[in-house]
Amino acid sequence: MSGTALLVAAAPVSKGRIVDAASVLPVLAAVSPAALAGTPTASVVELADPLDPQTVLTRLRAAAMAPGPLTIFLVGQVHLDRRQRQLHLALARSTPATMRYTGLPWHWITQELRLRPAGSTTIVVDLHTDPESWGTLTQHPLDAGPGVALYGRIAPPVRRRGIETPTYMKALATVLRSGHRPPLPQLHEQAVAQSLADDAQDLLIASTGAAPVAQSPYRQPPTPSDMDPHAAITAAVEAGRHGEAASLAAAWEQTALRMHGPGSAEVIHWMEVRADLQRFAGEPARSCETWLAVAAARLSAGQAPDSAEVEAAADRAHHLWDRVRDPETVRGLGPALVALRRQVPGRQRGTLSLAQRRLEQFHTQQVG
């Protein structure tokens, strides 16, 4: 099924601009439409610093009426209008005094999306605030309505003068430039880990649309003196808190990355921990993808293809790929696994031919 991606980057052109929203568009434009929309084929609509809220509404309405999945990438700054105190996305001509007439009311977005099939719509936001809108959003989480997934970050007001950068959305676009779109929770976690500083105070949003919005303040990753990470992760897994366990492992991986650099043994260790946690959480596709990344990292670090660690990573990736049943996901991960098996066949005979045969079977099913 074909999907739609709507890219909206908006900010005032006056001295009220606090974020260079349009700077993210070249990075998003480098992402394939399929990765942006999460579908094999997709159309992309781009709005850079739009002037008029009716123009944005027209494009939004057209995108909402299109069949297939819809993903909206929204970058900019939000403010309250002075009269009704409603949240608005500031557009090019917006000023504090004219926000009610020149900004895009947030409830327009939720109204246009309310009739779409549940689970078919995702909004990803990178929004900056002033003190008034920040105070409102800390008390009343941003919501996209029932059935609409919402991910992203809301940045607090900054004291210093200058124009901010939408670092979260740029990090997210960088992940997508590989051509593969991870599951949204994982994509969100990766963008957060790559874009936010340890002392960030941003609000993070992660909602599948099936439950109330989950909004939480960014928490500084732990340091080695804070806790026994493996004990904390084990406790979270045993209690069924798989999301918490994954967040802890991701935080420690980022700490290792800063301390030891990419490709280090410490970073690879935490990648392996994440892969195991994904398996425990019943997510074989994500675990397979992470084990593929582990094998690639070990090979890039100079380990031999027939070393025990590399072969183990390849075997685990292959085993988990065999457990994936969704045809599109099998086809998405298959080429990387086949390429790895050419380089790392492992000790079991016929692994390459087995991978090729399964991938061919799923491609044959698609054609049929």
Side-chain angles (χ1 to χ4, degrees), residues 249-262:
W252 276 90
E253 183 180 335
Q254 290 303 310
T255 299
L257 183 64
R258 289 191 296 271
M259 294 177 64
H260 304 286

Side-chain angles (χ1 to χ4, degrees), residues 81-86 88 100 107:
D81 72 272
R82 289 182 174 178
R83 182 174 178 180
Q84 296 182 328
R85 316 299 292 171
Q86 291 184 338
H88 288 65
R100 185 182 176 199
H107 69 266

Side-chain angles (χ1 to χ4, degrees), residues 3-337:
T4 302
L6 176 61
L7 319 181
V8 182
V13 297
S14 64
K15 62 180 181 180
R17 178 182 290 245
I18 59 178
V19 60
D20 184 8
S23 66
V24 77
L25 289 177
V27 189
L28 285 170
V31 179
S32 70
L36 285 173
T39 54
T41 60
S43 59
V44 178
V45 180
E46 179 181 302
L47 289 175
D49 284 332
L51 300 174
D52 180 59
Q54 290 295 333
T55 300
V56 183
L57 179 61
T58 299
R59 297 295 181 87
L60 175 63
R61 184 168 293 163
M65 294 176 63
L70 168 63
T71 305
I72 301 173
F73 298 88
L74 191 58
V75 185
Q77 55 194 71
V78 287
H79 303 272
L80 302 179
D81 72 272
R82 289 182 174 178
R83 182 174 178 180
Q84 296 182 328
R85 316 299 292 171
Q86 291 184 338
L87 198 68
H88 288 65
L89 176 71
L91 303 183
R93 294 174 178 168
S94 297
T95 66
T98 65
M99 191 61 62
R100 185 182 176 199
Y101 307 101
T102 59
L104 180 74
W106 181 260
H107 69 266
W108 282 13
I109 299 175
T110 60
Q111 287 177 356
E112 292 302 322
L113 301 178
R114 72 187 188 283
L115 298 180
R116 286 185 54 80
S120 67
T121 310
T122 300
I123 303 178
V124 183
V125 301
D126 190 339
L127 300 174
H128 290 248
T129 60
D130 63 4
E132 289 185 327
S133 58
W134 175 254
T136 296
L137 287 166
T138 56
Q139 298 299 319
H140 305 284
L142 192 69
D143 193 5
V148 178
L150 179 63
Y151 292 88
R153 69 102 175 220
I154 301 174
V158 293
R159 296 179 180 179
R160 64 183 183 278
R161 292 185 177 182
I163 306 299
E164 295 294 298
T165 301
T167 53
Y168 168 87
M169 193 67 76
K170 285 189 174 181
L172 185 141
T174 300
V175 174
L176 290 176
R177 285 181 65 178
S178 66
H180 174 62
R181 173 166 158 162
L184 283 166
Q186 179 184 354
L187 180 60
H188 171 68
E189 290 175 5
Q190 292 180 6
V192 168
Q194 295 178 21
S195 63
L196 269 64
D198 290 353
D199 57 351
Q201 301 298 314
D202 304 52
L203 293 175
L204 305 181
I205 305 171
S207 170
T208 62
V213 172
Q215 175 175 288
S216 61
Y218 178 71
R219 291 188 296 179
Q220 180 174 346
T223 60
S225 61
D226 291 335
M227 66 178 78
D228 177 353
H230 296 92
I233 290 171
T234 299
V237 171
E238 290 177 347
R241 302 191 304 270
H242 297 287
E244 178 182 334
S247 296
L248 283 171
W252 276 90
E253 183 180 335
Q254 290 303 310
T255 299
L257 183 64
R258 289 191 296 271
M259 294 177 64
H260 304 286
S264 62
E266 292 81 2
V267 170
I268 292 175
H269 166 74
W270 286 110
M271 292 172 67
E272 292 177 335
V273 171
R274 283 198 300 109
D276 281 334
L277 290 174
Q278 289 158 354
R279 177 171 58 86
F280 294 148
E283 299 176 332
R286 290 183 64 186
S287 185
C288 170
E289 186 176 23
T290 305
W291 279 116
L292 288 171
V294 168
R298 288 192 176 279
L299 290 168
S300 297
Q303 290 188 247
D306 61 352
S307 66
E309 294 87 354
V310 174
E311 288 184 343
D315 289 344
R316 288 168 180 164
H318 198 155
H319 170 70
L320 288 155
W321 183 64
D322 283 340
R323 291 175 55 189
V324 176
R325 295 293 178 261
D326 176 64
E328 184 177 344
T329 305
V330 171
R331 291 190 291 267
L333 293 171
L337 181 67

